[in-house]
Amino acid sequence: MAVNNLALIVYLFAIITTTVVGEDPYRFFSWNITYGDIYPLGVRQQGILINGQFPGPDIHSVTNDNLIINVFNSLDEPFLLSWNGIQQRRNSYEDGVFGTTCPIPPGKNFTYILQVKDQIGSFYYFPSLSFHKAAGAFGGIRILSRPRIPVPFDDPAGDYTLLIGDWYKSNHTDLKAQLDNGKKLPFPDGILINGRGSGGSSFNVEQGKTYRLRISNVGLENSLNFRIQNHNLKLVEVEGTHTLQTTYSSLDVHVGQSYSVLVTADQPGQDYYIVVSSRFTSPVLTSTGVLRYSNSAGAVSGPPPGGPTIQIDWSLNQARSIRTNLTASGPRPNPQGSYHYGMINTTRTIVLSSSAGQVNGKQRYAINSVSYIAPDTPLKLADFFKISGVYRPGSISDRPSGGGIYTDTSVMQTDYRSYVEIVFQNDEDILQSYHLDGYSFFVVGMDGGQWTSDSRKEYNLRDAVSRCTTQVYPKSWTAIYIPLDNVGMWNLRSEFWARQYLGQQFYLRVYTDSTSLRDEYPIPKNALLCGRATGRHTRPL
């Protein structure tokens, strides 16, 4: 380990002194990834632990911090972590998905060097390869505002991470085998709150005080409704954007999404149910935790409070009510609304439509008829080393073709600093959830039916929320605006993990021929090399 540590110090110094500008603080993490027995639903499973923990440790940081995370892979298979919502400004090499980053081989380590540049808010990390996400290795990320930047609410008495998600009793290897054999996954077995089944999680509060809950849906497929018995939820932040402080009795959190709410302990002193239940499913899965007052006079009793189940209009109206707080500062002291996204003309419209079907007798999922297959070499490395034959820019069209599903390594070419409109058209009977790495985007509209150019008349061009993951309701559309100001190779994917695994994703290549460090960082000196990039050299020390 001494040799490893010395090598780590040498290349960290080299990388830090050349790729990170300024004197922003550094936070160091050392994580060991192992298998371990877990019992979240009462049966023994093979989990993936970080430093022996399931879920993994929270990352606490402040705007512009540099995060140095040394990940040692003690599994018997390759491993990668990705950082849901961290924008990796000018640095898609650190994104931790196979299109940008070579996997960490068994018994080896890799040090991620991330900067949470100009970001605040609540996010999470997760394992991106194989079907590891069904085994753990996920955890919360919080980015606090710098001390002199005003926050639009008082400091809470406590700040809790709540990782919620659907879960299977089967090991991730069995689930992966089902998908590899061309089958669909069965209905999940339960819902976890911070890695525990019903009744396993509790959160302590004091009478009269207000607490911040950072809720992330880290599950595999199902939208979840979150509520607390007899308590209101005041929404204050969504994936890095301070929101209008709207009060809800319950909140729909779709797969991949993160929300911050304030909860005031303003009820009589006792224990109250925290309830998480599945949306748009039959049967409805439900899991509970406990909000425990310090002066509690009694435990929870009776049935937990019910919530919405299959009502789409209820959820759609709630989603439309989530707006940006235009008078609040973001990561900088200027108001969040000073960037007038609605007054800029878009230069390109991209319509993306999902589909499901069989290819060679096996289940596949697609976007615009293309079902993504991973190449033997990360796309970003193929770009850097100019390796031909790995992918074709433009291998996915801007519009649905209406044809049958086929497989390809789909990459969409876009220009740096263009301003694009993306419409997610969902003609299927299920709710969808999409995420784009490297960016936050403005969710300008959503409605039922087919999107047309007339749909733009419904857009919110004033205070739409900016986020990195959006839902698309059944037989509906969602439209987003994105200023493509972050050069790199960025994964756009379904957050339904079986769909992502079986092809419902592609890469957005935001390209410039500039070689300036103002536009993109060079490849990290410690970058792992694999596939056709094996044996090449990154940069001289």
Side-chain angles (χ1 to χ4, degrees):
M1 285 300 283
V3 174
N4 278 345
N5 287 338
L6 179 60
L8 173 63
I9 292 169
V10 170
Y11 70 66
L12 278 183
F13 179 78
I15 296 166
I16 291 167
T17 54
T18 57
T19 65
V20 178
V21 179
E23 298 297 326
D24 295 306
Y26 291 84
R27 297 177 189 265
F28 295 86
F29 305 83
S30 182
W31 287 357
N32 187 28
I33 311 299
T34 60
Y35 295 120
D37 289 343
I38 57 174
Y39 302 82
L41 294 178
V43 298
R44 183 167 66 91
Q45 293 177 254
Q46 182 190 65
I48 298 179
L49 315 180
I50 300 179
N51 293 349
Q53 299 179 42
F54 168 76
D58 269 8
I59 292 176
H60 292 196
S61 61
V62 176
T63 301
N64 291 349
D65 279 357
N66 299 289
L67 308 180
I68 314 299
I69 307 171
N70 184 21
V71 178
F72 194 91
N73 179 15
S74 296
L75 308 182
D76 59 4
E77 56 185 328
F79 184 80
L80 268 181
L81 285 172
S82 190
W83 320 90
N84 214 69
I86 304 304
Q87 292 178 10
Q88 314 290 0
R89 303 296 301 176
R90 298 180 284 170
N91 198 13
S92 62
Y93 294 103
E94 303 284 0
D95 200 31
V97 290
F98 186 74
T100 62
T101 314
C102 287
I104 308 169
K108 302 294 183 181
N109 73 304
F110 174 71
T111 300
Y112 290 90
I113 299 172
L114 319 175
Q115 187 179 25
V116 289
K117 179 68 175 170
D118 287 339
Q119 287 192 264
I120 57 166
S122 310
F123 309 96
Y124 67 91
Y125 61 86
F126 69 97
S128 63
L129 290 185
S130 296
F131 216 62
H132 291 158
K133 193 180 180 187
F138 44 73
I141 303 173
R142 63 182 65 174
I143 310 172
L144 301 178
S145 295
R146 288 175 290 174
R148 285 187 285 275
I149 305 299
V151 174
F153 50 88
D154 294 335
D155 286 343
D159 195 330
Y160 291 119
T161 294
L162 283 89
L163 304 176
I164 60 177
D166 50 13
W167 194 258
Y168 289 87
K169 293 179 180 178
S170 302
N171 285 341
H172 75 281
T173 49
D174 297 330
L175 299 174
K176 178 178 178 294
Q178 290 184 55
L179 296 173
D180 290 341
N181 289 330
K183 300 197 169 63
K184 297 179 181 180
L185 291 186
F187 192 66
D189 296 303
I191 294 172
L192 304 188
I193 302 173
N194 284 353
R196 301 184 178 215
S198 201
S201 297
S202 64
F203 303 88
N204 297 323
V205 297
E206 293 185 30
Q207 188 99 38
K209 293 186 176 180
T210 297
Y211 296 81
R212 182 173 184 169
L213 309 182
R214 300 172 186 264
I215 308 160
S216 294
N217 186 339
V218 299
L220 300 175
E221 179 171 339
N222 284 287
S223 299
L224 300 174
N225 181 265
F226 180 90
R227 54 198 181 272
I228 301 178
Q229 183 181 22
N230 293 358
H231 289 73
N232 288 321
L233 311 174
K234 181 185 286 187
L235 184 66
V236 293
E237 177 255 329
V238 171
E239 293 160 20
T241 299
H242 289 307
T243 62
L244 289 180
Q245 294 182 11
T246 306
T247 298
Y248 301 101
S249 59
S250 70
L251 188 65
D252 276 356
V253 185
H254 306 283
V255 184
Q257 293 186 338
S258 297
Y259 291 87
S260 277
V261 297
L262 297 181
V263 176
T264 300
D266 56 4
Q267 298 299 304
Q270 63 179 67
D271 294 352
Y272 295 89
Y273 281 114
I274 296 171
V275 189
V276 181
S277 58
S278 60
R279 292 285 269 122
F280 321 119
T281 65
S282 180
V284 174
L285 294 172
T286 300
S287 187
T288 62
V290 177
L291 188 74
R292 180 163 291 136
Y293 279 56
S294 59
N295 61 340
S296 175
V300 292
S301 61
T309 55
I310 61 172
Q311 304 94 325
I312 290 174
D313 285 350
W314 186 96
S315 188
L316 175 61
N317 289 333
Q318 182 178 82
R320 286 171 167 165
S321 72
I322 298 171
R323 304 292 184 92
T324 296
N325 183 344
L326 297 181
T327 62
S329 297
R332 295 172 180 266
N334 54 299
Q336 293 187 132
S338 60
Y339 179 85
H340 295 296
Y341 70 93
M343 300 176 67
I344 303 170
N345 293 326
T346 56
T347 55
R348 181 178 177 183
T349 295
I350 299 166
V351 180
L352 304 175
S353 179
S354 66
S355 56
Q358 300 276 310
V359 176
N360 298 324
K362 293 189 174 183
Q363 182 67 43
R364 296 293 299 184
Y365 300 95
I367 298 175
N368 288 1
S369 299
V370 189
S371 186
Y372 182 85
I373 51 172
D376 59 6
T377 306
L379 309 170
K380 190 62 184 168
L381 295 188
D383 261 3
F384 178 78
F385 291 114
K386 296 179 170 54
I387 303 170
S388 61
V390 174
Y391 74 92
R392 295 177 297 110
S395 47
I396 180 172
S397 64
D398 278 21
R399 303 273 172 150
S401 66
I405 294 175
Y406 63 95
T407 59
D408 200 351
T409 302
S410 37
V411 176
M412 185 175 289
Q413 179 81 1
T414 58
D415 295 326
Y416 179 44
R417 290 182 176 153
S418 60
Y419 191 59
V420 302
E421 173 188 40
I422 294 181
V423 178
F424 297 102
Q425 179 67 55
N426 180 16
D427 295 325
E428 299 186 67
D429 292 325
I430 63 167
L431 181 141
Q432 310 255 3
S433 185
Y434 285 97
H435 174 88
L436 175 60
D437 284 351
Y439 287 92
S440 282
F441 46 72
F442 298 95
V443 183
V444 294
M446 55 177 66
D447 205 351
Q450 289 286 318
W451 179 89
T452 68
S453 57
D454 283 344
S455 302
R456 295 189 180 110
K457 297 174 183 176
E458 301 177 29
Y459 284 4
N460 174 6
L461 299 182
R462 182 176 181 271
D463 59 355
V465 72
S466 177
R467 62 186 315 167
C468 58
T469 309
T470 188
Q471 72 273 31
V472 193
Y473 291 96
K475 303 288 188 182
S476 300
W477 57 266
T478 295
I480 64 175
Y481 281 178
I482 316 174
L484 294 178
D485 58 358
N486 195 13
V487 174
M489 188 76 71
W490 304 108
N491 189 220
L492 193 156
R493 61 177 176 266
S494 170
E495 286 284 11
F496 287 21
W497 217 240
R499 282 180 166 249
Q500 176 272 154
Y501 184 78
L502 294 180
Q504 195 173 324
Q505 61 170 307
F506 67 90
Y507 281 81
L508 197 67
R509 184 180 189 241
V510 182
Y511 180 74
T512 176
D513 55 11
S514 165
T515 57
S516 169
L517 293 182
R518 290 176 300 178
D519 296 327
E520 187 175 26
Y521 287 145
I523 188 170
K525 288 191 174 80
N526 70 322
L528 299 172
L529 302 180
C530 57
R532 287 183 246 177
T534 302
R536 302 193 183 224
H537 300 285
T538 54
R539 293 181 284 150
L541 286 172

